[in-house]
Amino acid sequence: MLARHALPDPEALAAAVAARDRAALARSLNLLDDKRPQARRAASRFLATLPGERLNTAGHLIGITGPPGAGKSSLTSALIEVWRRRQLAVGILAVDPSSPLSGGALLGDRLRMLAHDQGGSNVFIRSLACRGEFGGLSAEVWPMSLAMLAAFDIVLIETVGVGQKEIDISKMSDTTCFVAQPASGDSIQFLKAGIMEVPHILVVNKEDMGAAARKTLTELRTTLKKQIDPDGWQVPALSVSATTGSGIEKLADVIDSHRRWLTEHQLLATRRKRFQGEWILKRLREEFGRFGIEQLGGEPLLFESLTQRQGSPFDLYDSLRDQFLANWKRTT
Ligand SMILES: Nc1nc2c(ncn2[C@@H]2O[C@H](COP(=O)(O)OP(=O)(O)O)[C@@H](O)[C@H]2O)c(=O)[nH]1
Ligand SMILES: [Mg+2]
């Protein structure tokens, strides 16, 4: 019991994670999720010790989002197989509470299968689905993705992408894929109305359903003609079938081409740096509201400084929190 609760040595843990030690990875994700003060301090040191150049410029952080039942988990399994054939090490964070039975079990089964052959050690999956409400959990997804990034070529996060409560995956991934299913007018309406941030890649899954899939793809392409990615990336829409496997190689290629495009335009490192600013601002906003942000210098200034700084994001957050509380005490 004691051993289970004993905190790991952050430096040794970071080295083991970077060496893709599976037990260390599991331990690091638990540590990042541990709210006890001494665990937070260890987690903070752990994050600060992860290899910075990997976190800034290596690997590929991919977000897969879309409504429940669209086939995100199925698509994830299909992609894992392609990436394995391409000799890439893959880490998955599944933050999808909507399909713990179909999706969760499906993905679990596939991975159990994979684990039987020698390629199994290059695939690591952590499901965050069975913890109920997102609540505090959502806050830890980004730090967890950093630990995964230190170990894997590809880190994929699956989230449900409709509604307000959901994690904004576009604020923590290099490439965001939105998965729609045939005859899902909703997704198109969300896009048109600007409720949904334009993803980098639009995927219509269940192509095997025939005409309905083709119609949805055409509608999405028409909608996309009016949508411009702020960076200038031409958003592609393609159809696939996770069940039959059709289009999956192509999808993997398109996902990779977006990463190459980001690198060629010197946007990858810039994008990664923004994630930290977004994460800290979001947490400050949740804890102290707009007033808190104003007290700390206002959003633009704060954001700018947060993307510049080095070290652990936990430390940065804590120091801003302390700063706010000290100001608050002085003025009341
Ligand atoms: N016909 C068809 N069904 C699919 C396809 N991909 C997934 N499904 C089914 O759609 C349902 C939801 O899939 P799941 O991957 O759990 O969706 P998620 O909720 O988006 O993760 C399951 O019953 C899958 O078997 C596909 O390409 N074609
Ligand atoms: Mg799922």
Side-chain angles (χ1 to χ4, degrees):
M1 214 49 199
L2 195 69
R4 243 184 99 200
H5 286 272
L7 291 170
D9 171 62
E11 279 78 17
L13 189 63
V17 163
R20 213 179 289 152
D21 176 319
R22 301 172 72 82
L25 262 161
R27 222 174 305 132
S28 74
L29 299 184
N30 287 340
L31 179 66
L32 291 168
D33 205 21
D34 192 331
K35 302 297 181 298
R36 295 174 299 166
Q38 70 274 39
R40 290 278 297 179
R41 280 192 293 277
S44 184
R45 285 227 324 277
F46 165 74
L47 286 174
T49 315
L50 288 173
E53 73 292 348
R54 275 206 63 82
L55 305 192
N56 294 335
T57 51
H60 195 180
L61 269 170
I62 302 162
I64 294 233
T65 188
K72 300 178 296 298
S73 299
S74 312
L75 212 50
T76 299
S77 324
L79 281 167
I80 289 173
E81 284 172 32
V82 174
W83 286 326
R84 278 186 63 237
R85 280 201 295 279
R86 297 182 181 183
Q87 317 278 316
L88 296 168
V90 187
I92 311 281
L93 281 174
V95 200
D96 179 0
S98 69
S99 53
L101 282 179
S102 62
L106 185 71
L107 194 54
D109 288 347
R110 293 273 199 130
L111 286 157
R112 240 166 278 126
M113 249 162 54
L114 292 177
H116 283 297
D117 57 58
Q118 78 286 7
S121 64
N122 282 340
V123 179
F124 180 91
I125 181 163
R126 176 66 171 257
S127 173
L128 308 173
C130 24
R131 321 234 197 128
E133 281 294 308
F134 282 144
L137 174 67
S138 63
E140 311 315 335
V141 175
W142 177 70
M144 285 181 182
S145 77
L146 292 184
M148 302 276 269
L149 197 54
F152 297 102
D153 303 310
I154 299 222
V155 176
L156 182 147
I157 309 174
E158 178 193 338
T159 63
V160 179
V162 280
Q164 299 286 310
K165 245 174 47 188
E166 269 70 67
I167 299 168
D168 194 347
I169 195 66
S170 68
K171 297 214 162 70
M172 57 176 113
S173 50
D174 306 326
T175 303
T176 312
C177 298
F178 185 87
V179 184
Q181 56 183 341
S184 60
D186 277 4
S187 321
I188 296 162
Q189 289 313 321
F190 283 148
L191 260 183
K192 273 188 183 158
I195 291 170
M196 194 175 90
E197 202 160 315
V198 184
H200 299 112
I201 299 163
L202 272 161
V203 186
V204 178
N205 187 33
K206 312 194 185 181
E207 180 184 70
D208 52 284
M209 285 170 71
R214 283 192 295 277
K215 182 161 175 278
T216 304
L217 183 63
T218 309
E219 279 169 0
L220 279 174
R221 286 194 170 140
T222 313
T223 307
L224 279 179
K225 287 207 180 104
K226 295 170 203 123
Q227 302 283 0
I228 306 150
D229 173 85
D231 291 329
W233 158 259
Q234 186 73 48
V235 178
L238 64 161
S239 68
V240 303
S241 168
T243 313
T244 68
S246 75
I248 305 294
E249 290 269 355
K250 175 79 194 298
L251 175 59
D253 290 344
V254 171
I255 291 174
D256 189 50
S257 74
H258 181 249
R259 192 202 184 279
R260 269 207 312 278
W261 185 90
L262 285 174
T263 320
E264 279 159 18
H265 290 76
Q266 273 96 43
L267 289 168
L268 187 71
T270 326
R271 218 179 139 73
R272 294 262 173 99
K273 280 187 198 154
R274 292 184 62 88
F275 301 157
Q276 165 160 300
E278 300 275 12
W279 182 78
I280 295 176
L281 271 182
K282 181 167 185 292
R283 303 204 64 199
L284 287 172
R285 236 182 270 120
E286 278 166 7
E287 198 166 3
F288 305 118
R290 203 179 276 276
F291 173 73
I293 304 281
E294 290 310 317
Q295 286 294 300
L296 289 164
E299 192 156 320
L301 205 75
L302 207 50
F303 186 77
E304 189 54 34
S305 75
L306 290 176
T307 53
Q308 304 295 334
R309 288 149 90 167
Q310 301 287 319
S312 155
F314 281 11
D315 285 347
L316 266 178
Y317 176 77
D318 289 346
S319 76
L320 282 165
R321 191 176 184 281
D322 292 347
Q323 194 183 320
F324 172 80
L325 292 173
N327 282 350
W328 178 251
K329 271 201 201 107
R330 233 181 299 123
T331 54
T332 51

